[in-house]
Amino acid sequence: MSSACYLQIAIASPLRQHFDYLPPKESSSPDYQPGVRVEVPFGRRTLTGILLGTSQHSDVPSEKLRPALQILDSEPLLSTEIMSLIKWASDYYHHPIGDAMQHALPVLLRQGKAASARCETVWQLSESGQSADINDLKRAPKQAALLTQLQNQADTALSKEDFNQQHSHWRTPLAALIKRGWVNEIKRRGLLSNDVDTDSAPALNDEQVNAINTVVEHADHYQCLLLDGVTGSGKTEVYLGVIQQMLGQGKQALVLVPEISLTPQTVSRFQRRFNVPIAVMHSGLGQRERLDAWLSTRSGEARIVIGTRSALFTPVANLGVIIIDEEHDNSFKQQKGFRYHARDLAVLRARRLDIPIILGSATPSLESLVNVEQERYQRLVLSRRTSTATPPSLRTIDLRGQPIESGLSRSLLEVVGEHLQRDEQVLLFLNRRGYAPTLCCHDCGWISDCPRCDAKLTLHAASQRLRCHHCGTEQSMPAHCPECGSTELRALGQGTERIETTLESLFPNVDILRIDRDTTRRKGAMQAMLDRIHHGKKAILVGTQMLAKGHDFPNVTLVGILDADQGLFGIDFRASESMAQQITQVAGRAGRAHKPGQVLVQTYHPDHPLLQKLLTQGYPAFAKQAIQERRDIELPPYTSMALLRAEASQRALPMAFLSKAYETAIACGSQHIELLGPLPAPMERRAGRYRAQLLLQANERKPLQQLLQKLLPELDKLPEARRVRWSIDVDPVDTL
Ligand code: ADP
Ligand code: ZN
Ligand code: ZN
């Protein structure tokens, strides 16, 4: 073939390669632009792939090549910038290119739907629909099913696609619900509208002004700024100030946050400040909404994009600045499949676009602090809270020998009482949901082990169930001990549900709000509780890390950390860093308005050096010491790590595979690389599978990358590899 042309296509597949195809038979344009979608036959299926490029050569014999079916787009959906970012990430994280590329597309585009925004019809519950009783629909099961779906997502408008996923015939029953006045039909575009009151910026302090100027003065070039400011110091105002300037220059801003659905205030603050279209992207959206947000960002219509991790891959027409809020948060690292770190890739994206990026946190990751130390990032400090309140005072409560009721010491309860007396709010933090982490037989010692994990089943008292928080196994709570038949079953340890129950009996006249995954599962539930808290009446909030993130509770004056010891002796080398971040973040919720805050930390180890450092000298001093330790014992960020994990239903298989992997690594030439393992994972059995791991560590990134490059294709070929499920995690944030 003289004018031979092969299409190189990325297709979601576990293979580490692209696939070659012949051009479609009836192709009118010989001009194949990388970034368009192509429909191709793949085995017996038809899949949508992305055109990476064309070539005059193919390693596949031409009789084996098949023609593509059709080119789906007249212009590229993915810019060369995004394509090369993903290519880089696919190489660095050693994840197949086809699957990595899919992360850049909204689901509807992956499925081959047209890439056009449209004014769509959506449906949302009316007020009477929200309180409608499902039992009234006993004789109309289809209406009941629709109503359930709508009620489960009460604050989202649902589209045709959302209904199609769950129901085959929904138009008629939906019309009936509309007729009852329970559902409203809305025509709209995917963007947030701005009919809200526009509020203006407060007068900024010197540090804020300086921070904004530093970013804006060099807005035409790459620089990475670590905005290190205590909670309530006005970091968000700095973001807003920078964005305002960018908008003035006709540019767009990309803002990544850990979890939007939990912090609706952040989005509404942006909305109130700027009279521009804002696109929001997170997992709580319907598919059509996601596509519209994506398209409007790509076209430049949306001026600000706020999203979680995967929004990083959105093409942005004229990107001026990237902002990563709470940059220390581990949710920026994807933990399965394509294990990329959105913060790290965002820095790369900014560097390639030659634009500024701001990483903001009150508790910066040790990685970022070391990057400042090595002058790769510039640090901007906001040292003061904006409110008149003084920083909270921190104190430990020594639990040894104290009377304790369900995890609440007498000294803590006394102080709680004092704050309530003054009509103030109290926040109690315990990062363990459920009633109790274990159920135990008082007569024979039986314990509620998970049948599928090396873990205990957690007792959930309200629902009378035992649940495994690792694999989801559920059982109803036994009335008798399954071993000896005794009825003396005892709940051991505390979870948030138990604390709530105890508080209800101790403080019968006080509003007690529990905020964890169990109480906020229903859409709108979180917002309803936040509204109650913002009324400001005296209350006790009990919650997990959900409470630590980004909320502003002006009337909370006391924060109690119920169990600081969880993080002190964790197995993962990052456990103490996470503990310090959590304590600091939760403590930062106290005294944000005009009243001084107080923080009490319950511990059995009040003299633990890292805890002492944190409580007496604060997070920066803690971080300094923790960084020193990482350097001394040679751990990230001073070393580069990759974790090879394997699991199988037979115990011997993962170890056999990893032993082979170890030998293969040696054969590949692993000088300068330290190989640790293989070892069973700290929780060896999870969801019925045995897990093991091999840790690879090096002083430099490069030799580690070179080894992985050679090693992984060899592992693909090992017969042992076919008997396990294995994965590679580069820069793991969790080594468990
Ligand atoms: P952070 O993001 O660091 O937690 P925020 O930007 O949310 O801090 O600011 C905390 C509170 O202080 C907000 O209510 C904000 O409106 C207010 N605030 C921020 N900067 C100023 C300022 N310079 N003067 C007065 N109030 C401010
Ligand atoms: Zn028993
Ligand atoms: Zn389990």
Side-chain angles (χ1 to χ4, degrees):
M1 257 194 268
S2 56
S3 63
C5 165
Y6 303 102
L7 307 183
Q8 301 179 318
I9 297 178
I11 293 169
S13 130
L15 298 179
R16 297 168 198 283
Q17 60 176 69
H18 62 254
F19 294 84
D20 289 346
Y21 282 86
L22 298 169
K25 288 212 173 85
E26 284 141 43
S27 165
S28 51
S29 91
D31 169 27
Y32 301 110
Q33 306 176 72
V36 297
R37 290 172 302 159
V38 188
E39 206 174 76
V40 294
F42 193 76
R44 291 177 186 187
R45 293 178 297 163
T46 299
L47 294 181
T48 303
I50 295 167
L51 182 64
L52 297 174
T54 54
S55 169
Q56 301 301 316
H57 310 279
S58 174
D59 295 337
V60 184
S62 53
E63 67 276 12
K64 290 207 170 154
L65 286 172
R66 298 160 80 179
L69 300 173
Q70 59 170 328
I71 308 279
L72 292 177
D73 305 300
S74 56
E75 56 177 287
L77 283 192
L78 296 178
S79 56
T80 44
E81 185 241 327
I82 291 295
M83 303 249 292
S84 93
L85 179 70
I86 292 171
K87 178 74 176 63
W88 189 95
S90 148
D91 290 342
Y92 182 80
Y93 294 104
H94 299 275
H95 190 74
I97 181 73
D99 190 66
M101 280 286 169
Q102 298 287 321
H103 279 74
L105 292 179
V107 169
L108 293 182
L109 294 183
R110 288 178 214 167
Q111 294 170 347
K113 300 271 162 39
S116 50
R118 58 166 186 207
C119 179
E120 62 164 350
T121 310
V122 291
W123 295 271
Q124 186 161 22
L125 276 189
S126 67
E127 221 158 273
S128 57
Q130 301 203 9
S131 49
D133 188 351
I134 204 89
N135 292 321
D136 293 349
L137 295 175
K138 281 223 173 82
R139 270 180 292 158
K142 282 182 182 160
Q143 288 182 46
L146 276 177
L147 185 66
T148 306
Q149 187 185 8
L150 284 154
Q151 284 184 338
N152 283 339
Q153 304 189 44
D155 50 7
T156 314
L158 301 185
S159 64
K160 190 170 95 191
E161 285 79 10
D162 296 313
F163 290 129
N164 278 339
Q165 283 178 358
Q166 297 193 16
H167 315 274
S168 44
H169 300 288
W170 50 270
R171 295 237 175 228
T172 319
L174 184 68
L177 290 177
I178 294 172
K179 214 166 148 201
R180 286 176 193 265
W182 290 355
V183 173
N184 293 327
E185 188 167 294
I186 309 163
K187 303 253 181 218
R188 63 108 201 258
R189 307 275 326 262
L191 299 176
L192 287 181
S193 62
N194 278 282
D195 44 358
V196 243
D197 289 353
T198 310
D199 61 25
S200 52
L204 301 180
N205 63 37
D206 294 352
E207 289 178 332
Q208 289 173 313
V209 171
N210 172 53
I212 294 173
N213 287 344
T214 308
V215 181
V216 176
E217 273 162 18
H218 304 281
D220 293 334
H221 290 292
Y222 164 75
Q223 51 173 337
C224 182
L225 302 139
L226 179 66
L227 184 62
D228 180 355
V230 297
T231 43
S233 61
K235 291 182 296 296
T236 311
E237 282 304 329
V238 172
Y239 308 152
L240 294 168
V242 168
I243 291 174
Q244 179 147 42
Q245 305 257 351
M246 293 296 168
L247 295 177
Q249 297 174 19
K251 293 177 185 163
Q252 292 164 278
L254 171 62
V255 183
L256 297 189
V257 295
E259 269 165 291
I260 303 194
S261 46
L262 300 179
T263 52
Q265 302 114 306
T266 311
V267 176
S268 69
R269 223 163 130 190
F270 280 73
Q271 255 181 300
R272 286 198 308 271
R273 186 63 57 83
F274 301 113
N275 192 19
V276 299
I278 297 177
V280 175
M281 297 184 186
H282 60 91
S283 56
L285 297 179
Q287 297 306 348
R288 185 70 223 179
E289 289 177 295
R290 295 198 107 188
L291 174 57
D292 283 344
W294 190 90
L295 290 169
S296 64
T297 304
R298 176 171 163 276
S299 72
E301 187 188 356
R303 311 316 310 278
I304 304 172
V305 196
I306 308 177
T308 44
R309 183 175 64 220
S310 66
L312 186 257
F313 295 117
T314 313
V316 185
N318 188 11
L319 188 55
V321 65
I322 303 178
I323 291 164
I324 314 287
D325 190 27
E326 311 289 1
E327 65 90 27
H328 64 279
D329 197 290
N330 282 344
S331 73
F332 289 121
K333 171 88 182 198
Q334 180 145 300
Q335 308 264 26
K336 42 182 177 196
F338 183 18
R339 293 173 170 78
Y340 64 94
H341 201 306
R343 175 196 62 210
D344 297 350
L345 287 180
V347 173
L348 180 82
R349 188 172 182 191
R351 203 166 65 205
R352 292 175 152 207
L353 288 170
D354 209 15
I355 59 169
I357 174 167
I358 307 175
L359 312 180
S361 177
T363 52
S365 62
L366 302 188
E367 272 76 11
S368 293
L369 290 171
V370 169
N371 276 319
V372 169
E373 189 182 283
Q374 300 177 344
E375 297 184 352
R376 279 193 286 267
Y377 299 173
Q378 185 183 342
R379 183 159 175 221
L380 297 168
V381 178
L382 302 183
S383 58
R384 301 183 297 271
R385 289 183 152 201
T386 58
S387 63
T388 44
T390 43
S393 67
L394 278 80
R395 188 161 66 77
T396 51
I397 291 180
D398 187 349
L399 289 178
R400 289 171 298 186
Q402 274 230 33
I404 298 180
E405 183 162 354
S406 303
L408 300 158
S409 65
R410 178 150 322 148
S411 354
L412 177 64
L413 287 172
E414 275 167 19
V415 187
V416 169
E418 289 164 20
H419 284 257
L420 293 173
Q421 200 100 68
R422 296 199 294 265
D423 262 340
E424 295 165 355
Q425 295 177 339
V426 172
L427 189 166
L428 300 179
F429 173 75
L430 179 66
N431 211 6
R432 208 184 292 122
R433 67 195 166 88
Y435 187 83
T438 319
L439 188 66
C440 168
C441 171
H442 191 59
D443 284 330
C444 78
W446 168 85
I447 285 219
S448 59
D449 283 318
C450 174
R452 308 177 67 218
C453 304
D454 294 332
K456 313 271 177 273
L457 297 172
T458 299
L459 170 63
H460 288 257
S463 53
Q464 290 285 296
R465 299 192 69 81
L466 296 175
R467 259 183 226 141
C468 176
H469 289 184
H470 302 281
C471 71
T473 291
E474 260 198 65
Q475 305 173 352
S476 56
M477 189 184 146
H480 307 274
C481 169
E483 291 288 328
C484 75
S486 159
T487 51
E488 289 294 309
L489 295 176
R490 306 267 167 93
L492 290 191
Q494 333 294 331
T496 46
E497 195 187 349
R498 186 174 210 170
I499 303 287
E500 179 191 29
T501 310
T502 308
L503 290 168
E504 276 165 355
S505 65
L506 291 173
F507 302 99
N509 301 317
V510 178
D511 199 9
I512 316 259
L513 296 100
R514 170 160 64 94
I515 300 183
D516 56 28
R517 275 238 301 285
D518 298 319
T519 60
T520 55
R521 195 157 284 144
R522 260 185 78 138
K523 288 249 181 161
M526 182 74 174
Q527 190 56 51
M529 283 200 270
L530 291 176
D531 291 345
R532 254 162 84 196
I533 298 168
H534 284 287
H535 277 136
K537 285 203 288 278
K538 75 174 166 191
I540 306 180
L541 334 180
V542 185
T544 57
Q545 43 121 14
M546 274 189 157
L547 276 179
K549 287 184 184 171
H551 301 290
D552 205 356
F553 302 129
N555 206 31
V556 167
T557 51
L558 172 66
V559 167
I561 312 275
L562 299 188
D563 182 4
D565 299 343
Q566 271 180 308
L568 290 178
F569 305 101
I571 310 167
D572 191 273
F573 72 90
R574 279 179 231 266
S576 65
E577 178 186 356
S578 303
M579 174 233 21
Q581 288 164 342
Q582 268 181 3
I583 291 183
T584 310
Q585 294 282 348
V586 182
R589 307 300 129 207
R592 303 252 293 178
H594 305 293
K595 299 171 190 158
Q598 186 178 4
V599 180
L600 296 176
V601 180
Q602 297 194 138
T603 174
Y604 282 101
H605 306 274
D607 303 322
H608 191 286
L610 280 175
L611 187 61
Q612 269 301 317
K613 199 70 167 185
L614 177 70
L615 297 183
T616 57
Q617 297 175 43
Y619 184 81
F622 161 87
K624 211 166 158 199
Q625 179 157 339
I627 285 174
Q628 187 62 46
E629 277 182 14
R630 296 271 186 94
R631 194 202 316 254
D632 292 345
I633 50 179
E634 302 199 332
L635 281 172
Y638 291 97
T639 57
S640 265
M641 234 183 217
L643 192 61
L644 187 60
R645 295 189 180 91
E647 57 172 57
S649 46
Q650 287 171 44
R651 183 179 228 146
L653 296 177
M655 289 297 278
F657 165 72
L658 291 174
S659 302
K660 261 284 165 8
Y662 183 99
E663 288 166 23
T664 315
I666 302 281
C668 286
S670 59
Q671 310 84 312
H672 311 300
I673 314 281
E674 198 183 351
L675 300 169
L676 297 159
L679 286 170
M683 182 192 291
E684 187 182 10
R685 204 164 55 104
R686 190 166 73 192
R689 305 176 71 87
Y690 291 90
R691 306 150 70 229
Q693 56 193 35
L694 173 65
L695 188 66
L696 300 89
Q697 196 175 223
N699 286 327
E700 309 283 335
R701 251 161 228 246
K702 208 162 163 206
L704 180 60
Q705 282 292 336
Q706 284 168 342
L707 172 63
L708 292 176
Q709 191 98 41
K710 278 199 242 163
L711 175 63
L712 299 183
E714 296 304 317
L715 296 188
D716 285 331
K717 292 182 214 153
L718 290 178
E720 288 83 357
R722 258 167 262 137
R723 312 186 62 192
V724 299
R725 208 184 278 157
W726 67 273
S727 64
I728 186 77
D729 190 350
V730 177
D731 305 335
V733 294
D734 175 356
T735 56
L736 299 185

